[in-house]
Amino acid sequence: MTENPQHQTASNPELPTQYAPAEVEGKLYERWVERGYFEADATSDKPPFTVVIPPPNVTGSLHLGHAFEHTLIDALTRRKRMQGYETLWQPGMDHAGIATQNVVERELAKEGKSRHDLGREAFIDRVWQWKGESGGQISGQMKRLGDGVAWSRERFTMDEGLSQAVQTIFKKLYDDELIYRAERIINWCPRCLTAISDIEVEYQDDDGELVSIRYGEGEDSIVVATTRAETMLGDTAVAVHPEDDRYKHLVGKEIELPLTGRRIPVVADEHVDPEFGTGAVKVTPAHDPNDFEIGQRHGLPSLAVMDEHAIITAHGPFQGLDRLEARSAIVGALRADGRIVAEKRPYVHSVGHCSRCKTTIEPRLSMQWWVKVGPLAKAAGDAVRDGRVKIHPQEMEKRYFDWVDNLHDWCISRQLWWGHRIPVWYGPDGEIVCVGPDEQPPSGEGWTQETDVLDTWFSSGLWPFSTLGWPEQTESLAKFYPNSVLVTGYDILFFWVARMMMFGLYAMDGTPPFHTIALHGMVRDQFGKKMSKSFGNAVNPLDWMDKYGSDALRFTLARGANPGVDVPIGEDWVQGSRNFANKIWNATRFALMNGATIEGELPDPSQMSATDRWILSKLNKTVAEVDAFYDDFQFSKLSEALFHFAWDEVFDWYVELSKTTFFAGGEQAKVSGRVLGEVLDVMLRLLHPVVPFVTETLWTTLTGRESVVIADWPKDSGFRDAAAEQEIELVQQVVTEVRRFRSDQGLQPGQKVPAELTLTGTALAPHEAAIRQLLRLQPAGDGFHATASLPVAGATVALDLSGTIDVEAERKRLTKDLGAAEKEKAQANAKLGNEAFLAKAPDNVVDKIRTRLAKADEDIARITAQLANLPQN
C-alpha cells in the first residue's frame, strides 16, 4: 500500500511494517490479566452478564472444538464487558472420573503396580499429585487463544466448595426420595470395571455374527436369532407378541433351553415385533435392558452368567471363558447338537464401546444408585415450554423435549475411586444412612461407607451455581445466578444441559440456571468430515495459532459459526483470515501515517465530502447490523458483515477514494483524517471481541488510550446519508465497469491509459481525481485518440488504447473465443432440440446442458461487446 511520510502525525506513533502475532499476543494477554480486566465484582452496580465455561476435562488439551466454543463465548463476553455489564466468564475444569483414573492407572502400570497395590487413599493422593503436576494444561492453551475468563474464580469439580455442594444436593435429593438404590441393567465396561453413562458409550458398526437357534422340540420348538449367543446361558424365557397366531399354542408352555437342561416359559409381550425376524426373542433379564423390562412384567428370574470382567460364571463347560471365547464355543456346541438353523457372518450391527478404553460395553444387572428423574425432567421441560428458558436455534427445542420428556432414571454410581464418594453409610444390621456436609457419619463396629463414587455429570450438573458458592448464599450467587446464556454444542444438549436444568431448578427454588441455551454445531474438516486421528484429519489448533496467529484461527471459526450447524474448517481458510489481520494492520498503518486521528470533535457533516458522509453512514449501518447479529447469536453473519465493511468499504474504497485528499493536504485532508480516525476507532472496537490481539495493538496506537478491552462498545449514532451513499455507488459503478473493461482488454492493473472523462452535470464531477487515480487514467494530452468509449452511470469514459495493446492480436484472440462460444451454443441447442435425447436423458444431464447454453449466450454477448470496443484501424 502506498505511503506518504509527509503526512505522518506526531500524535500517532509509527507501527512496525509487519504484524507479528507471536511477538504481541502473549504479552498482551499477560497485561490484560495483570490489570484485572476479566475479573468480576459481585458488589458492582452494573447489570450482570454471566457465562460458565463448559468445564474441560482435567486430562484434556485444547482441540478445535474447544477453540471454536471458546471463541464464541469470548466474543460474547468481551462485547458485554464493553457494553458496561459486570461480566463473569466462569472458568474451571472437570475431574473426569474415568478418564483421570485411567491416566493415573496407566502411569502406575509403567511402575509395575495397580491401584490395588496402593490402596484407595494412597491412590487418590497419587491422582491429586498427577493433577498438580500434569493436569490442567488446557488452562495455558486457553490463554494462548485469548480467553477472557476470571482466573481468580477458577474452580475444580473436586475442590472443597464444590464437594460440599455435591454432598448437599445428594442429601436433599435422598431426603426427598429422589435418590434410591436398586438393581437394574446398566452399561458396564469390563475394562474400567464400572458402570458408565450413556454419553460415555460410543456406538460403531462392528462385524459380528447373527445365529438362529432352535429352542424346544417338534411342534413345541421355536427359533430365535441373536448376535450374543453367550447370553443364552442366562435366558429365562422366550417372548412372542400376544397377537402372533404362529405361537399362540406355545404361550404359557415351557420349552427346553439347549445346552443347559433347563426349561423356560414362552411369554406373550407387546414389546416383541412380530414382523422382525422369526417374531420370537430370547429373554435374558440380567444382560439386556429390554429383556429386563420384560422380566419385570412377567416375574421372570434374572440369571447373571458373567462377572465384572465379562468372564462366564454359569456352571458347565463354558465356565471361565471370556465372553467372546464363550460365544464361539457355544455356537460350536449348538451346531454339533443340530440347534443352529441359520448363520450370517459377517453381520454388521451397531455395538456400544467405552469411550475411554474402546472396550465393548456389556449390559449388566447391577445394584446401583439412581436419580428418580420424573419430576426433575418435567420441571426442565416446563421451563422451556413456558418461556423462562429460550433454546437457540428454536428448531432444537424438539430434540430437547424428545429427550427430557422420555428420560429414564439416571444411574449415578460409578465403581471408581477417583470422584465424589457417595455419602451413604451401611450399618451392621442393614441400616442405610445418608450424611449431609455438616453431619457426622455414624461410627462404631460394622459401619462402612459406600465405596462407589458419583457420575462425573452429577457434579458438573451443579456447575452454574456451585461455582458461585452454593449452598452458601454468597454475593456472587446473588449477583451472577442465573447465567445469562449457556453456549455449548448440540451433542451434549441431552446430557450436560438437561442435568443442569434439572438440578438448577431443583436447588434454586424453580429458577433455571440460564436464560438462553445457544447451541452450536461440531467442527469438521473442509470436506465436512468428522475430525479424528484415525481419519488422519485431526488438527492441533496450537499449530495453526503458531503459524497464523490466534486472531486468524478465531476469525475463521467465528466466520463459520451458524447456530446449530456444523462448521467446516481448512488451513487455507485460516491463512485467509491471517491475510485479513494483515490487511487491517497495513491499512491502519497507512491511515495513521496519512492523517487519521481521533483528536477533537467529529466535524459537522456540512464540512465533510460525500465520501466522508458515505463511510460514516455505512459505519453506523454496520454497528446496527452487528448488534442485531450478536443478539441473535449469528456469529457467521456478524463476522461476514465486519469483514466486508473493513476490507471492502473502508480499505478498498474509502481509503483509496480519500488518497487524493490526503496527498493534497489542507483543511479537507484534516476533516477526512478525523473521519478516518473515527471509522477506524469504531471498526476496531467492533472487531475486537472476535480478533482481540491485533485490534488491541492498533486501537491503543490510534487512540493512545489504555485498552480496547475496557473501551465502550460502539453505538449507532443514527447518522444516515442516503444521497452520499447513492453518489459513491455511482463512483463505484464507474470504477468497477472500467476496471472490468481494462481486464477484458488484457491491460495490467497498474498500466496507465490516457482517458477523457465527461462527468459534467453528474454527481461524479467532484470525484474525477479519485476516479483517475483508482483507474490509472492519465489526462488526455496532445494526440489523444479515443479508441473506446464507455457510457456508465450517466457519464462517459473515453480511452485511448492505441499504444497499450496489440489490437490485431487481441482481435484474433477474441474472434477465436467467439467461435468457440458459438460452437458450444450450437451443440447445446442441437441436444436440447432432439426429442429422443430429451426423452432418455436424466434431468440432471438436461439441466447441465441448459446451463452450458446460458453460459455460451453470456460469453457471446461479452466477447461481441469487447470486439466492438476495440480500436478501429
Side-chain angles (χ1 to χ4, degrees):
M1 185 171 285
T2 306
E3 296 171 0
N4 188 344
Q6 293 179 356
H7 295 284
Q8 184 174 339
T9 61
S11 60
N12 289 323
E14 186 176 358
L15 288 164
T17 54
Q18 291 184 328
Y19 176 51
E23 294 179 12
V24 300
E25 290 180 348
K27 295 175 183 176
L28 285 181
Y29 192 85
E30 287 178 11
R31 186 189 309 159
W32 291 336
V33 173
E34 287 170 1
R35 294 180 178 178
Y37 292 157
F38 304 140
E39 296 303 323
D41 181 3
T43 65
S44 167
D45 292 332
K46 297 178 182 178
F49 183 82
T50 316
V51 181
V52 294
I53 193 172
N57 288 351
V58 68
T59 59
S61 60
L62 191 74
H63 57 63
L64 272 179
H66 288 129
F68 173 56
E69 185 169 79
H70 291 197
T71 293
L72 305 188
I73 300 174
D74 197 42
L76 286 178
T77 53
R78 284 179 183 269
R79 172 176 175 256
K80 285 296 182 180
R81 191 177 292 111
M82 295 171 75
Q83 285 182 314
Y85 287 80
E86 193 61 41
T87 303
L88 169 59
W89 183 8
Q90 173 66 55
M93 285 182 290
D94 193 284
H95 65 278
I98 295 176
T100 306
Q101 181 157 317
N102 281 346
V103 167
V104 178
E105 285 195 81
R106 284 196 294 269
E107 292 297 313
L108 284 174
K110 295 176 183 177
E111 304 171 15
K113 298 178 182 179
S114 74
R115 60 184 165 116
H116 299 285
D117 294 324
L118 272 67
R120 184 168 192 142
E121 289 188 12
F123 176 76
I124 292 173
D125 288 342
R126 181 68 176 262
V127 179
W128 278 108
Q129 179 185 340
W130 174 88
K131 191 253 181 188
E133 294 173 356
S134 306
Q137 62 175 316
I138 197 170
S139 296
Q141 296 164 347
M142 288 165 58
K143 295 174 182 178
R144 282 285 314 278
L145 189 65
D147 287 4
V149 299
W151 288 111
S152 69
R153 292 173 172 266
E154 187 174 12
R155 303 303 299 269
F156 180 55
T157 51
M158 284 284 286
D159 69 27
E160 184 177 349
L162 270 64
S163 295
Q164 183 184 21
V166 168
Q167 194 171 353
T168 298
I169 202 163
F170 187 98
K171 170 70 171 173
K172 181 174 170 59
L173 288 163
Y174 182 86
D175 289 347
D176 287 345
E177 298 183 349
L178 293 173
I179 282 182
Y180 63 94
R181 189 171 183 248
E183 194 173 42
R184 299 274 185 87
I185 291 283
I186 44 86
N187 301 309
W188 181 265
C189 177
R191 156 60 185 80
C192 298
L193 298 180
T194 181
I196 65 174
S197 67
D198 292 335
I199 197 171
E200 291 161 328
V201 179
E202 292 180 349
Y203 288 90
Q204 64 184 48
D205 289 339
D206 285 357
D207 286 343
E209 60 180 349
L210 180 69
V211 292
S212 298
I213 310 168
R214 177 172 53 84
Y215 288 13
E217 301 291 344
E219 292 184 356
D220 289 348
S221 68
I222 194 166
V223 175
V224 299
T226 181
T227 59
R228 302 170 68 223
E230 69 278 9
T231 63
M232 68 162 290
L233 301 175
D235 286 359
T236 56
V238 171
V240 298
H241 193 273
E243 303 301 322
D244 194 333
D245 291 335
R246 293 173 294 177
Y247 304 118
K248 281 190 174 180
H249 70 289
L250 288 175
V251 174
K253 291 185 177 181
E254 289 189 343
I255 58 176
E256 183 177 344
L257 178 66
L259 306 181
T260 67
R262 287 192 291 113
R263 297 185 66 80
I264 58 176
V266 177
V267 300
D269 195 280
E270 291 187 352
H271 168 75
V272 180
D273 180 0
E275 303 297 324
F276 183 78
T278 64
V281 296
K282 59 191 286 298
V283 182
T284 320
H287 294 280
D288 183 276
N290 293 320
D291 293 3
F292 178 79
E293 297 296 333
I294 294 174
Q296 293 289 296
R297 288 193 288 271
H298 297 276
L300 302 173
S302 295
L303 300 181
V305 296
M306 277 181 256
D307 66 13
E308 65 269 23
H309 297 280
I311 301 298
I312 301 298
T313 57
H315 293 294
F318 311 109
Q319 186 175 6
L321 294 179
D322 170 84
R323 56 183 166 168
L324 298 182
E325 296 172 334
R327 181 179 301 172
S328 177
I330 288 170
V331 170
L334 289 168
R335 190 184 299 113
D337 201 25
R339 293 286 175 175
I340 300 296
V341 176
E343 296 180 70
K344 184 177 181 181
R345 62 170 70 86
Y347 178 73
V348 179
H349 60 132
S350 182
V351 178
H353 296 259
C354 174
S355 63
R356 303 301 176 190
C357 68
K358 311 308 176 186
T359 302
T360 300
I361 291 302
E362 190 63 45
R364 185 169 188 257
L365 185 63
S366 179
M367 183 68 75
Q368 302 284 344
W369 285 92
W370 304 80
V371 171
K372 184 178 180 181
V373 301
L376 302 174
K378 182 181 183 304
D382 290 346
V384 175
R385 286 190 169 95
D386 64 25
R388 281 176 289 157
V389 177
K390 305 287 186 185
I391 293 180
H392 191 280
Q394 190 173 0
E395 54 265 28
M396 288 286 182
E397 281 187 3
K398 182 181 183 302
R399 298 179 67 177
Y400 176 79
F401 292 135
D402 286 346
W403 180 256
V404 298
D405 292 347
N406 297 284
L407 270 179
H408 297 294
D409 284 0
W410 171 20
C411 176
I412 55 172
S413 45
R414 298 290 180 267
Q415 290 65 56
L416 303 171
W417 288 355
W418 173 245
H420 295 282
R421 193 168 177 180
I422 292 176
V424 167
W425 272 255
Y426 303 110
D429 298 318
E431 304 96 327
I432 298 178
V433 176
C434 180
V435 177
D438 299 321
E439 300 172 351
Q440 289 295 321
S443 58
E445 186 176 350
W447 282 94
T448 60
Q449 186 180 356
E450 169 65 72
T451 57
D452 289 355
V453 301
L454 288 165
D455 178 12
T456 296
W457 294 99
F458 191 95
S459 52
S460 61
L462 314 180
W463 193 248
F465 52 94
S466 64
T467 52
L468 298 173
W470 187 90
E472 300 300 323
Q473 297 304 306
T474 64
E475 288 181 326
S476 290
L477 188 65
K479 178 74 174 181
F480 296 114
Y481 187 91
N483 287 194
S484 307
V485 62
L486 173 74
V487 180
T488 192
Y490 63 70
D491 58 323
I492 56 173
L493 172 64
F494 315 129
F495 305 105
W496 186 47
V497 178
R499 284 162 168 77
M500 285 190 291
M501 286 286 284
M502 291 191 295
F503 282 164
L505 289 159
Y506 174 75
M508 300 300 292
D509 300 320
T511 301
F514 17 73
H515 298 302
T516 302
I517 302 168
L519 298 170
H520 59 72
M522 305 295 102
V523 178
R524 298 183 178 273
D525 71 12
Q526 59 190 2
F527 305 108
K529 191 175 181 180
K530 179 182 178 182
M531 285 192 172
S532 165
K533 289 181 181 178
S534 60
F535 294 155
N537 63 350
V539 174
N540 184 343
L542 295 173
D543 293 340
W544 281 352
M545 287 192 280
D546 288 341
K547 194 171 183 180
Y548 302 111
S550 299
D551 285 333
L553 177 62
R554 289 171 61 116
F555 192 73
T556 304
L557 292 167
R559 202 173 178 188
N562 290 297
V565 179
D566 288 346
V567 182
I569 184 173
E571 184 170 3
D572 54 337
W573 302 344
V574 184
Q575 185 175 355
S577 295
R578 186 272 313 274
N579 296 343
F580 178 51
N582 288 341
K583 182 79 170 181
I584 300 170
W585 181 273
N586 292 332
T588 304
R589 183 170 180 270
F590 167 82
L592 289 172
M593 298 179 70
N594 287 276
T597 180
I598 65 161
E599 294 176 2
E601 293 294 323
L602 196 63
D604 188 83
S606 63
Q607 299 176 269
M608 299 177 189
S609 66
T611 308
D612 294 334
R613 298 195 305 276
W614 163 76
I615 196 62
L616 288 176
S617 186
K618 287 285 189 178
L619 175 67
N620 281 285
K621 282 185 175 180
T622 301
V623 172
E625 194 175 29
V626 168
D627 272 334
F629 288 143
Y630 261 117
D631 291 341
D632 199 34
F633 305 102
Q634 298 281 357
F635 294 97
S636 177
K637 290 182 179 179
L638 72 88
S639 298
E640 284 294 313
L642 288 169
F643 175 85
H644 289 296
F645 175 73
W647 195 303
D648 300 343
E649 309 289 7
V650 179
F651 304 147
D652 280 358
W653 285 109
Y654 180 72
V655 169
E656 296 298 323
L657 285 170
S658 301
K659 277 184 178 178
T660 52
T661 301
F662 290 137
F663 294 165
E667 287 302 313
Q668 191 57 52
K670 292 180 181 178
V671 170
S672 293
R674 180 64 187 88
V675 170
L676 180 53
E678 182 76 10
V679 170
L680 291 175
D681 171 22
V682 173
M683 183 192 76
L684 292 170
R685 282 186 281 148
L686 288 174
L687 281 164
H688 173 72
V690 181
V691 284
F693 294 106
V694 68
T695 51
E696 172 79 339
T697 305
L698 295 175
W699 189 85
T700 52
T701 302
L702 170 70
T703 65
R705 295 173 186 163
E706 182 180 347
S707 173
V708 70
V709 177
I710 54 173
D712 291 337
W713 180 252
K715 293 181 180 178
D716 176 10
S717 71
F719 178 80
R720 303 287 190 276
D721 194 321
E725 289 192 36
Q726 291 173 2
E727 186 172 323
I728 301 306
E729 283 174 11
L730 293 176
V731 175
Q732 292 172 324
Q733 285 180 36
V734 171
V735 173
T736 302
E737 189 63 32
V738 177
R739 277 177 174 167
R740 184 182 297 118
F741 175 77
R742 287 175 55 108
S743 176
D744 288 343
Q745 301 308 315
L747 296 177
Q748 295 301 312
Q751 192 170 352
K752 294 182 178 179
V753 179
E756 192 175 70
L757 276 59
T758 306
L759 308 177
T760 308
T762 72
L764 296 167
H767 305 282
E768 179 171 352
I771 291 171
R772 283 188 176 277
Q773 179 176 321
L774 288 169
L775 292 172
R776 304 297 188 267
L777 301 180
Q778 295 176 318
D782 293 340
F784 175 81
H785 175 61
T787 58
S789 183
L790 302 177
V792 58
T796 302
V797 180
L799 304 173
D800 183 355
L801 303 179
S802 56
T804 57
I805 61 172
D806 184 335
V807 176
E808 284 308 312
E810 187 65 11
R811 183 175 282 113
K812 286 182 181 179
R813 184 184 70 80
L814 290 172
T815 301
K816 182 180 179 181
D817 289 348
L818 181 61
E822 289 173 338
K823 181 179 179 181
E824 176 75 2
K825 178 178 180 179
Q827 290 175 342
N829 273 327
K831 287 188 176 181
L832 293 175
N834 185 334
E835 294 296 334
F837 170 79
L838 293 176
K840 295 179 180 179
D843 289 345
N844 65 316
V845 173
V846 176
D847 288 341
K848 285 182 180 179
I849 294 171
R850 289 190 176 123
T851 301
R852 283 169 49 196
L853 176 60
K855 176 67 166 53
D857 281 334
E858 291 176 6
D859 289 344
I860 290 168
R862 175 179 55 81
I863 297 168
T864 301
Q866 289 176 236
L867 282 167
N869 280 317
L870 281 176
Q872 301 301 313
N873 293 334

